[in-house]
Structure formats: C-alpha cells, structure tokens
C-alpha cells in the first residue's frame, strides 16, 4: 500500500510502499477514504509537536474510512462499518490500523471528506468553549484566526452556544468565510487595531486564540473583567509571555487546551463532546468547511497550503471514494 511517511525531521515526508498491517487485539483495519490535515502535522514534520511519534511514521492524525478487518476482542464494529478515527498518526495511507476505542461510527448524512475534517477541529473548539471556558449565552467571544481549521469551528460553535461572535482574520476573503459561518462582527487583523475594535464593542468575555504572538497581546488587553483566554496554539510561531500581575488587575483566567491530551486522563470529556457535535451535525447546526480536497499524491501540496495559510477551514486528502 502507499503511505506518506516521515523518515527524518531534516527531510520532507514522501510516498512509500509499505506492507498492509494486520489489526492487533482491540484494533480495526480501515480502507482509508480521507484524511484531514492539521497544523500539528507541520509541527510533527519538524519534531516540535508534543506527541510526535518515533521515526519513521506515516503522517495523518484523523481519518475516515470503511472497516475491512477487526482484531481480537473488538465489539461494536464489523467489516463494512463507516467510521472516523483520531489515530494521531497513520492516516495518509491506503489502509491503516487503529484502536477501536478511538473510532466512532458515522451518521448516514456525513460523507468521508466531512468526517475527516470533523473530529479535531470541532472537538477542540467545543471542549475549549464548553468544558474549559464555560461560554454562556449573550457573552462576547473573540475568535482569532477565525478562518482557519479550528478558528472557523469556534465561530460556528460560539453561535450555536448563543454568544455574540467577533471573528478576527486577515483579509476580506477570509473574513467573508467567517461571516458565512455566523460571525456577528469582523476584524481585519491585517489593517485594523484589534484592541481598539474590541473596545468599541465593549470587550471580550472569552478569547479563542490559535494564533499567539501580537494578536494574543491585543486580545489580552481587550478582555472584560473575569475574561477567559483560551490558548489553543501558536500559528504565528510566537508563544506569548504572560505577566502574572496583569492577570490579577482584571481577574483574568488563561486556560490551556490540548484536545488529544484528554484521551490519557479524561476520555469521557471527548466522547461526550463528540456525541453532542454529531447531534448538532444531524440537526444542521454545524457544517464542516473544507476549502481544498487533494489526492494522496499531493499530500505535500496540502501541507504547503497549511504552511502558507492560504486555505480556509480544513484541507483534506482524499484517498479513495
């Protein structure tokens, strides 16, 4: 089978021919139909991600496909089932073996491309806004990087949760995508002063930040008393340094969120969140936005789209129909 494999942090990943793996106890083997790309994939390529697997490994954190074999002890799944899996690796391949505990059956209305774009982005935003920040109806939510993979889902989820959503992104095209996702107000990070714009809107109760850098600093100063700031990632490449004395002046809270980390200590947070999100999908409240769908041979081009920030929403690699 073909697989997009990383063998060194000093050289780019490339397609390789690998043997088809057999499922072990508690595992499923999938005919992989699609794999969603994430900013974390870029960090894995350079060895900077907190959960970078040992080399060599097949890239691709989240997949959707059809079960073709099950290992010993697996219950609840059978060959022919359509599933999505957050595997952490192994997704950019024609077949893959994953723990059954990480798999979820797809609703009939969800296609494989949507499913491959669903778990990490929507899961991150829902756990962040609901479980961590306790976002309330009527509160003002500022979303940085609002046209990106996770940012756009934060806009959608914020609206479903009843917040007034302010979307911040670079350029009119990206802001138009955020507006279509339900944003009430728009801030162009390329030409407008985030702090001044938020002051005119009365400030933020919750900030969702996958960007870091100067935008974090401006959003930090835009918070209302008892504001909550969610640190999701640092797409700008700059990790903010927070002065603790500034937190106490407004009684602010800075909340970290690593979605995948809950698998190790509170997996029920993720399973409960995912059940809610799938219900919202079935009800038409949320719809994955995929700007680019590319074949496996162009997986490197998909990574380049993420790196250049030219995509909106998600980039998905389609491996089979």
């Amino acid at each position: 089978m073909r697989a997009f494999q990383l063998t060194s942090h000093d050289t780019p990943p490339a397609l390789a021919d690998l043997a088809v793996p057999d499922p072990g106890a508690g595992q499923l083997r999938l005919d992989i139909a699609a794999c969603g790309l994430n900013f974390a994939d870029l960090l894995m390529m350079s060895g900077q991600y907190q959960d970078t697997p040992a080399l060599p490994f097949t890239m691709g954190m989240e997949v959707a496909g059809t079960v073709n074999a099950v290992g010993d002890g697996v219950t609840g799944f059978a060959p022919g089932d359509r599933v999505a899996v957050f595997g952490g690796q192994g997704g950019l391949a024609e077949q893959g073996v994953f723990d059954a505990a990480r798999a979820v059956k797809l609703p009939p209305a969800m296609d494989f491309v949507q499913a491959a774009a669903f778990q990490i982005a929507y899961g991150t935003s829902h756990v962040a806004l609901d479980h961590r920040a306790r976002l309330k109806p009527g509160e003002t939510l500022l979303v940085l990087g609002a046209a990106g993979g996770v940012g756009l889902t934060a806009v959608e989820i914020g609206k479903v949760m009843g917040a007034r959503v302010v979307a911040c992104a670079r350029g009119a095209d990206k802001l138009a995508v955020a507006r279509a996702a339900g944003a009430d107000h728009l801030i162009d990070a390329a030409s407008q002063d985030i702090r001044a714009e938020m002051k005119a809107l009365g400030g933020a109760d919750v900030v969702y930040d996958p960007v870091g850098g100067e935008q974090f600093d401006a959003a930090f100063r835009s918070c209302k008393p008892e504001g909550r700031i969610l640190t999701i990632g640092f797409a700008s490449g700059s990790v903010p340094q927070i002065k603790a004395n500034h937190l106490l002046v407004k009684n602010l809270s800075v909340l970290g969120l690593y979605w995948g980390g809950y698998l190790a200590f509170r997996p029920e947070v993720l399973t409960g969140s995912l059940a809610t999100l799938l219900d919202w999908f079935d009800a038409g409240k949320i719809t994955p936005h995929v700007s680019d769908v590319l074949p496996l041979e162009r997986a490197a081009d998909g990574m380049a789209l993420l790196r250049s920030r030219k995509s909106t929403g998600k980039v998905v690699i389609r491996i089979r129909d």
Side-chain angles (χ1 to χ4, degrees), residues 129-130 133-141 157-165 184 205-206 224 228 280:
L129 295 173
D130 183 63
R134 307 293 184 187
L135 180 68
K136 302 178 184 67
E139 289 191 313
T140 297
L141 167 66
I157 290 171
K159 287 303 295 179
V160 173
M161 294 179 68
R164 179 177 69 152
V165 178
D184 299 292
D205 296 291
V206 175
K224 297 178 183 179
R228 291 93 76 198
W280 287 355

Side-chain angles (χ1 to χ4, degrees), residues 37-54:
L37 302 188
N38 294 275
F39 188 77
D41 290 313
L42 301 180
L43 298 178
M44 284 188 185
M45 288 166 60
S46 60
Q48 296 178 312
Y49 191 59
Q50 59 262 31
D51 274 345
T52 299

Side-chain angles (χ1 to χ4, degrees), residues 191-209:
S191 61
Q192 294 179 287
D193 184 313
I194 296 172
R195 185 181 181 187
E197 295 297 321
M198 287 306 300
K199 183 178 180 181
L201 292 170
D205 296 291
V206 175
V207 174
Y208 182 98
D209 179 22

Side-chain angles (χ1 to χ4, degrees), residues 9 17 41 56 60 62 73 75 79 117 123 134 140 155 164 170 180 193 222 240 244-245 250 253 266 274 300 305:
H9 295 304
D17 288 321
D41 290 313
E62 58 180 333
T75 59
R134 307 293 184 187
T140 297
V155 172
R164 179 177 69 152
R170 289 186 177 275
D193 184 313
S222 301
N245 61 314
K250 289 186 180 179
S253 299
R266 286 195 66 189
L274 187 57
L305 283 171

